[in-house]
Amino acid sequence: MTRYQYLANLLAERIEQGLYRHGEKLPSVRTLSQEHGVSISTVQQAYQTLENLQLIAAQPRSGYFVAPRKAQPPVPAMSSPVQRPVEITQWDEVNTLLADHHDKSLIAFGSGAPDVSQATLKPLWRELSRLVQHNPCAVLGYDELPGRKDLREQIARIMLDSETVVVAEDVVVTNGCHSALAIALLAVCKPGDIVAVESPCYYGTMQMLRGFDIKAIEIPTDPQTGISIEALELALEQWPIKGVILVPNCNNPLGFIMPDARKRAVLSLAQRHDIVIFEDDIYGELAREYPRPRTIKSWDIDGRVLLCSSFTKSIAPGLHVGWIVPGRYRDRVLHMKYATSSTSVPAMQMAVAAFIRDGHYHRHLRRMRQIYQHNMEDWTCRVRQYFPCDICVTRPQGSFMLWIELPEMVDMVCVAKQLCRLKIQVAPGSLFSATGKYRNCLRINCALPLNDKNQEALRLMGEAVSIALE
Amino acid sequence: MTRYQYLANLLAERIEQGLYRHGEKLPSVRTLSQEHGVSISTVQQAYQTLENLQLIAAQPRSGYFVAPRKAQPPVPAMSSPVQRPVEITQWDEVNTLLADHHDKSLIAFGSGAPDVSQATLKPLWRELSRLVQHNPCAVLGYDELPGRKDLREQIARIMLDSETVVVAEDVVVTNGCHSALAIALLAVCKPGDIVAVESPCYYGTMQMLRGFDIKAIEIPTDPQTGISIEALELALEQWPIKGVILVPNCNNPLGFIMPDARKRAVLSLAQRHDIVIFEDDIYGELAREYPRPRTIKSWDIDGRVLLCSSFTKSIAPGLHVGWIVPGRYRDRVLHMKYATSSTSVPAMQMAVAAFIRDGHYHRHLRRMRQIYQHNMEDWTCRVRQYFPCDICVTRPQGSFMLWIELPEMVDMVCVAKQLCRLKIQVAPGSLFSATGKYRNCLRINCALPLNDKNQEALRLMGEAVSIALE
Ligand SMILES: Cc1ncc(COP(=O)(O)O)c(C=O)c1O
Ligand SMILES: Cc1ncc(COP(=O)(O)O)c(C=O)c1O
């Protein structure tokens, strides 16, 4: 973090905590410069940042004042999906969204891509390039079925950060988190089975269920604490559910981190009803809190949690390196890995293993957490500014996704089509429900900085929504 | 091909054709040197090669003579598997074989790996290394669901070599031929379905069927002309078969190329019974004949052939770049690709596309075809020398696999265990049958040159088999 960012954060916190009240005059530039031992221009840059975020306002010739608070929009309420097993729809819509990602002329607010432009990724290139030149045989040859040992060792090491104690032998490398989930599902479920999911739920997971002819039952989910344990319990009593898919850390799309007590509650519920937990930790490393939140797997004593993850969000999608910790399902998982994909690309595994081993991974993560936190604040602020008043917005505890709930009457599927003509792509909420609910919601990707182009697109989005409201 | 190799091939052919008879004296070194306008040492090298192959013998002070012919071992007869749908066994055995591949101290005759040490692959490294440095964004980002367009265009181009006329839109990129087959199967079949396979059949395909709970019916297959159309027809009349999996070009493990008439016959049978053909063309590019053999897909007019292939054997396994031409199943195939694996690694696709576009691929193929042909001849010759007389050996029409049938009483599963202790790995025939038939057979990989180490291992193998026969 640069000095001015540090200072801006500090001041923003003080405003948030009420140490400076709304309408109150802030210390002069000179005073702050002396107090913090920084240059005048650093203070000016910090004040400029806060002004851009509309936290403070400059009054000509009298200095900076805390802006009158525009009320934080409320967080959406607990969801209330259809509570019976259903077949999943929406494939055509998801397919269109995926195809759109590659239209370079679109601004892709609908994508799930992280920022891959940071210099902290450079050692990864260098390593890849070095490997190709110096170890062509390993790069060109077949990999082991469970994945390269050097990588599995590094994965076991970083999993300690979430208090998840595993060894290399417990890890099975996959081509990403998506294929990790696919393998885990195929290892445990049969067509016709029922699996519980959070609602809203990442559309990729749902389309996978559809592909494997598995029915989904959507469970009410709170945007701040996660899946409703009570509703899940009720569903377990009513239906022969095989397992539950959870994204407990920096949930996609809601951004919550389940509190530890609720993680343990859902695990003991799973134990009582003898079901499996598919835990998707793909965003866990991008949590704001330090140390990063624990996984449900970290309390798993009888191997019923299949932890799935990847480096797609924490490093880059193009790697396609993910993994499963399959617990008691290791044999089935290995067989299903072989059946669906045989082995994985050695070069990418080797590069990631070296990237972690040499400390570059943790350095990169630290940087990305900061950047995403900063960007999320910026974007949230602008959403408040450009969107109509009566919206709800999530308060993500990490990662880079924002979920916005608009008044019932707004049909984001229609609005999305209009925006597409303006070369702006968004993910309408209906993709995140098996039955196409949440048509009045949208998810936007806030990974990249709010430059002029993005800001203008966001403004146009707010405008389109306002028109839809009229 | 070097001069001496050219000359050796020419002489070998003449011996084969009977122009030089067994026991006859060959032209002197000097005569040949003048006749072919090559140096004395070139002729000496050519004779040395033929002597190593035991085609000729040197008699001190009187020159070279054609060796008395040791009869070519016969080709195995048409197989006769159990002809009803069965569940597939042998997973533990396959899993062990896969794990063994990575024991660096083993001589891996059991693996399916091609030779990746040739200089003709260098442009691929250079390209990969260049991409990583100059196009990090494409390398790091998400790929399109059907795969990169530049690669699909190149694939469509090379498919013309087999008279298979497709455009980029007809091609779906996968993580290899294995995942191509998995996606194709999942797109067409449900658990409990029955699929017909050649017998013997590549174990990876069979374990995939097992993973997806699909039953296999093994069809008698001739080691020179492929699956018995008559037996397949009988099976189609008796059982509700969904489709048939065929490796018609340079079959694994038998090495045959189905004659065109039989390819067309199997297609019209499929049309009459309205079943699907899963055509696995992974070795098609390594056929000896020029131009390379046609695919069944090339005659497919109603989109019932799902062609699956990859660059695993023609370039290198570490790339994990394969493809499907899904015919009328394109939508289902795209959905199943998304469900099982989402997208593929962009870097490898980009590198392969450039490798083909710049002509390196065809150059590499030409070289590998020659090398494999040469190695196969060497290996066959040594097998004849070291193994007992009453064996049958395939006459592969391309690729680099040899299938050896031993007398019934030999149990290759046991012999393989003994050989494992000598650090020699072979693939016992039982892996290639759903019910563990072909215990008296084995497949060996002849991709690499017959150096002293390999030759000694082959000798030990022959010895172990001879002992088992006693
Ligand atoms: C919650 C969640 N799970 C899984 C995935 C898929 O991950 P990968 O790209 O590593 O296959 C994503 C990607 O967007 C995701 O958001
Ligand atoms: C006949 C056949 N099909 C498919 C495969 C798997 O190919 P890939 O490694 O490209 O997934 C092999 C590899 O050995 C094979 O021999």
Side-chain angles (χ1 to χ4, degrees):
Chain A
M1 201 161 10
T2 59
R3 287 195 178 177
Y4 84 88
Q5 279 174 334
Y6 174 83
L7 187 59
N9 277 354
L10 189 82
L11 294 169
E13 243 168 50
R14 289 190 182 164
I15 293 170
E16 192 75 23
Q17 290 164 355
L19 296 181
Y20 298 127
R21 310 261 195 74
H22 296 286
E24 194 177 326
K25 187 170 186 306
L26 288 156
S28 72
V29 170
R30 183 174 307 270
T31 316
L32 271 188
S33 146
Q34 282 165 355
E35 189 182 327
H36 293 276
V38 295
S39 71
I40 295 283
S41 78
T42 299
V43 178
Q44 276 168 336
Q45 259 186 300
Y47 271 158
Q48 186 61 51
T49 305
L50 295 176
E51 202 185 349
N52 289 346
L53 290 173
Q54 300 191 313
L55 284 173
I56 65 173
Q59 279 181 18
R61 268 180 239 112
S62 47
Y64 288 96
F65 291 78
V66 181
R69 183 191 276 280
K70 184 172 176 185
Q72 277 261 60
V75 172
M78 169 91 81
S79 65
S80 54
V82 180
Q83 282 184 70
R84 59 184 158 70
V86 292
E87 270 164 26
I88 288 147
T89 60
Q90 314 293 316
W91 166 240
D92 290 340
E93 292 77 1
V94 169
N95 200 3
T96 309
L97 185 81
L98 295 174
D100 284 351
H101 287 345
H102 300 279
D103 179 346
K104 292 279 177 290
S105 68
L106 279 183
I107 306 189
F109 289 147
S111 106
D115 177 2
V116 294
S117 66
Q118 299 299 324
T120 42
L121 282 182
K122 276 205 185 131
L124 190 73
W125 305 148
R126 273 201 294 271
E127 183 60 26
L128 251 180
S129 178
R130 207 188 58 76
L131 280 171
V132 166
Q133 276 155 21
H134 293 96
N135 202 350
C137 276
V139 164
L140 287 182
Y142 275 113
D143 178 31
E144 293 178 57
L145 185 53
R148 287 186 61 92
K149 184 123 191 280
D150 50 357
L151 175 64
R152 288 184 282 122
E153 278 164 0
Q154 295 302 326
I155 289 174
R157 244 188 69 199
I158 61 174
M159 287 190 68
L160 288 177
D161 296 343
S162 59
E163 295 186 41
T164 318
V165 183
V166 298
V167 294
E169 281 64 38
D170 300 326
V171 176
V172 176
V173 173
T174 66
N175 296 324
C177 187
H178 197 100
S179 68
L181 279 168
I183 290 167
L185 279 169
L186 286 169
V188 175
C189 300
K190 276 198 281 291
D193 278 354
I194 306 168
V195 162
V197 297
E198 294 153 333
S199 183
C201 169
Y202 167 56
Y203 53 79
T205 306
M206 258 183 320
Q207 291 307 322
M208 191 186 302
L209 292 175
R210 176 185 159 129
F212 302 152
D213 266 326
I214 297 171
K215 291 209 181 78
I217 175 163
E218 295 180 73
I219 306 292
T221 300
D222 183 273
Q224 293 189 287
T225 59
I227 198 164
S228 158
I229 314 271
E230 302 69 29
L232 179 60
E233 180 150 29
L234 223 64
L236 290 175
E237 278 157 13
Q238 258 185 302
W239 307 98
I241 292 171
K242 261 286 171 63
V244 55
I245 304 177
L246 297 172
V247 189
N249 293 321
C250 312
N251 179 272
N252 176 8
L254 295 177
F256 60 78
I257 295 177
M258 273 177 92
D260 279 358
R262 297 183 72 86
K263 285 177 181 158
R264 298 175 70 166
V266 86
L267 179 60
S268 65
L269 187 60
Q271 284 163 342
R272 275 204 308 287
H273 287 264
D274 195 19
I275 64 160
V276 163
I277 295 179
F278 303 95
E279 180 177 23
D280 178 344
D281 189 50
I282 190 170
Y283 294 102
E285 301 277 272
L286 296 176
R288 282 188 196 177
E289 61 188 60
Y290 184 84
R292 60 146 289 176
R294 289 182 66 160
T295 60
I296 299 175
K297 180 82 201 167
S298 70
W299 287 285
D300 179 30
I301 46 168
D302 55 358
R304 69 175 63 247
V305 180
L306 291 100
L307 182 128
C308 299
S309 194
S310 78
F311 296 106
T312 299
K313 311 295 178 177
S314 56
I315 307 182
L319 298 172
H320 280 281
V321 178
W323 69 94
I324 312 182
V325 182
R328 63 162 90 139
Y329 295 94
R330 185 164 191 276
D331 284 348
R332 284 284 299 157
V333 158
L334 272 181
H335 194 202
M336 290 315 306
K337 174 173 178 181
Y338 188 57
T340 55
S341 47
S342 80
T343 55
S344 307
V345 179
M348 298 302 174
Q349 294 182 60
M350 292 160 82
V352 170
F355 190 66
I356 302 173
R357 190 195 57 218
D358 299 343
H360 302 300
Y361 173 69
H362 278 108
R363 196 165 311 131
H364 176 66
L365 266 189
R366 275 197 300 278
R367 182 171 180 82
M368 296 320 293
R369 279 200 217 101
Q370 263 176 18
I371 290 181
Y372 291 143
Q373 167 157 11
H374 181 258
N375 291 348
M376 282 292 266
E377 279 162 12
D378 268 16
W379 285 71
T380 306
C381 209
R382 289 299 171 195
V383 164
R384 211 191 304 170
Q385 184 183 351
Y386 295 136
F387 275 60
C389 286
D390 38 359
I391 61 170
C392 299
V393 180
T394 50
R395 306 247 165 81
Q397 294 172 265
S399 169
F400 45 78
M401 300 292 198
L402 213 53
W403 176 261
I404 304 174
E405 189 181 298
L406 305 165
E408 283 284 352
M409 59 195 289
V410 179
D411 182 351
M412 269 312 297
V413 179
C414 287
V415 177
K417 280 193 191 125
Q418 290 159 15
L419 287 169
C420 211
R421 267 179 247 126
L422 302 176
K423 296 290 172 194
I424 299 169
Q425 181 219 39
V426 298
S430 50
L431 302 184
F432 298 82
S433 156
T435 58
K437 252 185 85 83
Y438 311 121
R439 277 179 91 95
N440 60 323
C441 300
L442 74 160
R443 188 195 72 178
I444 56 177
N445 181 326
C446 311
L448 296 177
L450 244 185
N451 58 18
D452 291 349
K453 193 175 154 204
N454 288 339
Q455 197 163 317
E456 175 58 11
L458 200 58
R459 199 188 58 73
L460 289 171
M461 211 189 293
E463 210 170 83
V465 167
S466 302
I467 292 170
L469 257 174
E470 274 163 15
Chain B
M1 200 161 10
T2 59
R3 287 194 178 177
Y4 84 86
Q5 279 173 334
Y6 173 83
L7 187 59
N9 278 354
L10 189 83
L11 293 170
E13 244 167 50
R14 290 190 181 165
I15 293 170
E16 192 75 21
Q17 292 164 353
L19 295 180
Y20 299 127
R21 309 263 193 75
H22 297 286
E24 196 178 323
K25 187 169 186 303
L26 288 157
S28 73
V29 171
R30 184 173 308 270
T31 315
L32 271 187
S33 146
Q34 282 165 352
E35 187 183 328
H36 293 276
V38 295
S39 69
I40 296 283
S41 77
T42 299
V43 178
Q44 277 167 336
Q45 259 186 302
Y47 272 157
Q48 185 63 50
T49 307
L50 295 176
E51 203 185 352
N52 289 345
L53 291 173
Q54 300 193 314
L55 284 173
I56 65 173
Q59 278 180 21
R61 267 180 241 115
S62 48
Y64 289 94
F65 291 78
V66 181
R69 181 191 277 278
K70 186 171 176 187
Q72 276 260 61
V75 172
M78 169 91 79
S79 66
S80 54
V82 180
Q83 281 183 71
R84 59 183 157 70
V86 292
E87 270 164 27
I88 288 146
T89 59
Q90 313 293 318
W91 167 240
D92 290 340
E93 292 76 1
V94 170
N95 199 3
T96 308
L97 185 79
L98 295 173
D100 284 351
H101 287 344
H102 300 280
D103 180 345
K104 293 280 178 290
S105 69
L106 278 184
I107 306 189
F109 289 148
S111 106
D115 176 2
V116 294
S117 67
Q118 299 299 323
T120 42
L121 282 181
K122 275 202 185 134
L124 190 73
W125 305 148
R126 273 201 294 272
E127 183 60 26
L128 251 179
S129 172
R130 207 188 58 76
L131 280 170
V132 165
Q133 275 156 21
H134 294 95
N135 202 349
C137 276
V139 164
L140 287 181
Y142 274 114
D143 177 32
E144 295 178 57
L145 185 52
R148 288 187 61 91
K149 183 122 189 284
D150 50 356
L151 175 64
R152 287 185 283 121
E153 279 163 1
Q154 295 303 326
I155 289 174
R157 243 188 69 200
I158 61 173
M159 286 189 70
L160 287 177
D161 296 344
S162 59
E163 294 185 45
T164 318
V165 183
V166 298
V167 294
E169 281 64 40
D170 300 326
V171 176
V172 176
V173 174
T174 65
N175 296 324
C177 187
H178 198 99
S179 68
L181 279 169
I183 290 167
L185 279 169
L186 286 169
V188 175
C189 301
K190 276 198 279 293
D193 278 355
I194 305 169
V195 163
V197 297
E198 294 150 333
S199 184
C201 170
Y202 167 54
Y203 53 79
T205 305
M206 260 185 319
Q207 292 307 322
M208 190 185 302
L209 293 175
R210 176 184 160 130
F212 302 153
D213 265 329
I214 297 171
K215 291 207 181 79
I217 175 161
E218 295 180 73
I219 307 292
T221 300
D222 182 273
Q224 292 187 287
T225 59
I227 197 164
S228 157
I229 314 272
E230 302 69 30
L232 179 60
E233 181 151 27
L234 224 65
L236 290 174
E237 278 158 13
Q238 257 186 303
W239 308 98
I241 292 172
K242 262 285 173 61
V244 55
I245 305 177
L246 298 172
V247 189
N249 293 321
C250 313
N251 179 270
N252 177 6
L254 294 178
F256 60 77
I257 295 177
M258 271 177 93
D260 279 358
R262 297 183 73 86
K263 284 178 183 158
R264 297 175 71 165
V266 86
L267 179 60
S268 65
L269 188 59
Q271 284 163 343
R272 274 204 309 288
H273 287 265
D274 195 19
I275 63 160
V276 162
I277 296 179
F278 303 95
E279 180 176 23
D280 178 344
D281 189 51
I282 190 170
Y283 294 101
E285 301 276 272
L286 296 176
R288 281 186 196 178
E289 61 188 59
Y290 184 83
R292 60 146 289 176
R294 290 182 68 160
T295 59
I296 300 176
K297 179 84 200 165
S298 69
W299 286 285
D300 180 29
I301 47 167
D302 56 357
R304 68 175 64 248
V305 180
L306 291 100
L307 182 128
C308 300
S309 195
S310 77
F311 296 107
T312 299
K313 311 294 178 180
S314 57
I315 308 182
L319 298 172
H320 280 280
V321 178
W323 70 94
I324 312 182
V325 181
R328 64 162 90 140
Y329 295 94
R330 186 165 189 276
D331 284 348
R332 284 283 300 157
V333 158
L334 273 181
H335 194 206
M336 290 316 305
K337 174 174 176 180
Y338 188 58
T340 54
S341 46
S342 81
T343 54
S344 308
V345 179
M348 297 303 175
Q349 293 182 61
M350 293 159 83
V352 170
F355 190 67
I356 302 173
R357 191 195 56 220
D358 299 343
H360 302 301
Y361 172 69
H362 278 108
R363 196 165 313 131
H364 176 66
L365 267 188
R366 274 197 302 277
R367 183 173 180 82
M368 296 320 294
R369 278 199 219 103
Q370 261 176 19
I371 290 181
Y372 291 143
Q373 167 157 12
H374 181 259
N375 291 348
M376 283 290 267
E377 279 162 13
D378 269 16
W379 286 72
T380 305
C381 209
R382 289 299 172 197
V383 164
R384 209 191 306 172
Q385 182 184 353
Y386 295 135
F387 276 60
C389 286
D390 38 0
I391 61 171
C392 299
V393 180
T394 51
R395 306 245 165 83
Q397 293 171 266
S399 169
F400 45 78
M401 300 291 197
L402 212 53
W403 177 261
I404 304 172
E405 189 182 298
L406 305 164
E408 282 285 351
M409 60 196 287
V410 179
D411 182 350
M412 269 315 295
V413 179
C414 288
V415 177
K417 279 194 193 125
Q418 289 160 16
L419 287 169
C420 210
R421 267 177 246 128
L422 302 175
K423 295 292 173 191
I424 299 168
Q425 183 219 37
V426 298
S430 49
L431 303 183
F432 298 82
S433 157
T435 57
K437 250 184 88 82
Y438 312 121
R439 279 179 89 96
N440 60 323
C441 300
L442 75 160
R443 188 195 72 179
I444 57 177
N445 182 327
C446 312
L448 297 177
L450 244 185
N451 57 18
D452 291 349
K453 194 175 154 203
N454 288 338
Q455 197 164 319
E456 174 58 12
L458 199 59
R459 199 187 60 73
L460 289 172
M461 210 188 295
E463 208 170 85
V465 168
S466 302
I467 292 169
L469 257 175
E470 274 161 14

